[in-house]
Amino acid sequence: MMLVLICTVLGVIGLLLILLSPHIRKYAAGGVCRSQARLDGKTVLITGANTGIGKETAIDLASRGARVILACRDVEKGETAATEIRTRVGGAKVEVRELDLADISSIRAFAQKFLREVNHLHILINNAGVMMCPYMKTADGFEMQLGVNHLGHCLLTYLLIGLLKRSAPSRIVVVSSLAHYFGWIRFHDLMSQGSYNSGLAYCQSKLANILFTRELAERLKGSNVTVNSVHPGSVRSELVRHSTVMSLLFTFFGMFLKTPKEGAQTSIYCAVAEELESISGKHFSECTPAMVAPQGRSEETKRKLWDISCELLGIEWD
């Protein structure tokens, strides 16, 4: 009897989901960038653009006329993505360059070559990320998620900031996450050597993205270079590949998740929207301003993380 009842309930739930799926999908899709801004003559750099929201962002910006540079760890996958973009966007100006955000020497080599060969940079999108991976370290001994998601992008931005200023007006978009609400900067064990929880380490790295954005915005005042962070939403992508639980949840609740194209909308919005021309240091979700967690608004934490990050990377900002 109980089994029959359970099956009946599950059947009703399944039927309701099927009937409501169009409305659920419409709601899950979220905000859409409505800007028709063209980017002819503009140069865009996107990290991790060979897949997911990075690739969809590249497709959109290429369709607006921009020269789009895909910075990828795996050049072969990057070239595959570039070929797809050229197929989907007639006349797309897209190219691939090798960049491993888990290796300081790779970041410096990338920037050196980039500055030698590229005269302008109008939009930098720090999109690449690692999520909930097993404990591992970058080539320089940083915990992988903090190293790639925060420190790697911090160094890349530092090395390219001069070019961004010379190309102004220019924009920096930092892909963070709602997960920053559950993060804390563990200054006593920043690299998780004492204890490691893959989920909490991810949340810490996304909080670091928020804090970096806010501090950088202050330092860029008057430069005509803006920087804003975004939460793309819950997106069906390869990002959850390291977590069996998250992969299963994303499989079972797929209709509630965004497609990569839908997830890219806020990044695109922050990159092109005319009304954001002078907006900096803000956080966006669904193509609208979003709240930042209290720990993301801490002046003390923001400055302390900035100083420690610069020390770890061996850099000094002007």
Side-chain angles (χ1 to χ4, degrees):
M1 186 65 181
M2 182 60 69
L3 182 60
V4 173
L5 179 61
I6 292 173
C7 290
T8 301
V9 170
L10 290 176
V12 170
I13 292 173
L15 180 61
L16 286 173
L17 287 175
I18 292 172
L19 293 174
L20 296 174
S21 60
H23 304 285
I24 293 173
R25 279 299 310 133
K26 184 177 180 180
Y27 175 79
V32 176
C33 177
R34 303 293 183 185
S35 172
Q36 299 299 311
R38 294 290 302 174
L39 295 176
D40 302 285
K42 304 295 185 181
T43 300
V44 178
L45 173 62
I46 309 174
T47 66
N50 61 288
T51 187
I53 65 174
K55 183 172 73 174
E56 291 297 334
T57 302
I59 291 169
D60 182 280
L61 302 188
S63 73
R64 296 171 187 266
R67 172 191 182 187
V68 180
I69 300 170
L70 316 182
C72 307
R73 181 177 58 84
D74 189 321
V75 174
E76 185 177 346
K77 290 182 178 179
E79 291 292 355
T80 299
T83 299
E84 179 184 341
I85 294 170
R86 294 186 193 104
T87 300
R88 292 173 61 177
V89 181
K93 297 181 285 291
V94 57
E95 57 195 78
V96 179
R97 291 174 181 251
E98 184 176 3
L99 171 65
D100 185 354
L101 289 162
D103 187 343
I104 285 178
S105 64
S106 173
I107 300 169
R108 288 191 173 276
F110 170 89
Q112 185 178 44
K113 188 170 188 287
F114 190 92
L115 294 172
R116 190 169 61 244
E117 299 175 352
V118 180
N119 296 323
H120 301 283
L121 179 59
H122 303 95
I123 301 171
L124 168 62
I125 302 181
N126 291 335
N127 167 82
V130 181
M131 181 180 181
M132 297 180 69
C133 60
Y135 184 77
M136 57 183 78
K137 294 182 179 181
T138 67
D140 306 282
F142 307 141
E143 184 274 313
M144 185 61 72
Q145 296 187 81
L146 188 71
V148 170
N149 299 353
H150 167 58
L151 292 171
H153 281 122
C154 178
L155 178 59
L156 179 66
T157 305
Y158 167 80
L159 295 171
L160 299 180
I161 199 65
L163 183 58
L164 284 159
K165 288 179 178 179
R166 292 192 296 275
S167 306
S170 52
R171 304 186 188 192
I172 303 168
V173 180
V174 179
V175 178
S176 181
S177 169
L178 184 67
H180 85 271
Y181 266 86
F182 308 99
W184 298 92
I185 304 300
R186 303 171 70 241
F187 290 112
H188 67 286
D189 188 20
L190 197 60
M191 299 303 162
S192 303
Q193 293 176 306
S195 62
Y196 180 71
N197 178 290
S198 62
L200 294 179
Y202 177 71
C203 294
Q204 175 182 243
S205 73
K206 294 292 102 179
L207 175 59
N209 290 153
I210 297 285
L211 295 165
F212 171 73
T213 298
R214 293 169 69 86
E215 179 65 20
L216 182 57
E218 288 187 16
R219 292 171 178 264
L220 290 176
K221 284 180 179 177
S223 68
N224 214 10
V225 180
T226 63
V227 54
N228 292 295
S229 59
V230 305
H231 165 55
S234 298
V235 182
R236 289 196 297 272
S237 71
E238 297 177 4
L239 196 60
V240 297
R241 63 187 180 276
H242 293 295
S243 172
T244 302
V245 173
M246 290 295 292
S247 296
L248 288 172
L249 288 173
F250 273 39
T251 299
F252 288 128
F253 297 100
M255 74 170 63
F256 297 99
L257 302 176
K258 293 183 178 184
T259 64
K261 182 177 180 178
E262 291 163 351
Q265 293 304 303
T266 305
S267 291
I268 297 166
Y269 173 74
C270 286
V272 305
E274 298 89 338
E275 63 268 27
L276 299 186
E277 185 175 349
S278 60
I279 303 299
S280 192
K282 304 302 181 183
H283 185 57
F284 292 84
S285 177
E286 309 299 352
C287 300
T288 58
M291 286 291 294
V292 169
Q295 61 270 34
R297 301 194 298 269
S298 169
E299 292 295 317
E300 180 182 359
T301 304
K302 174 168 65 71
R303 293 197 181 100
K304 186 174 181 180
L305 177 64
W306 182 274
D307 290 341
I308 290 176
S309 298
C310 290
E311 182 179 346
L312 289 168
L313 294 168
I315 60 177
E316 289 186 15
W317 288 76
D318 294 333

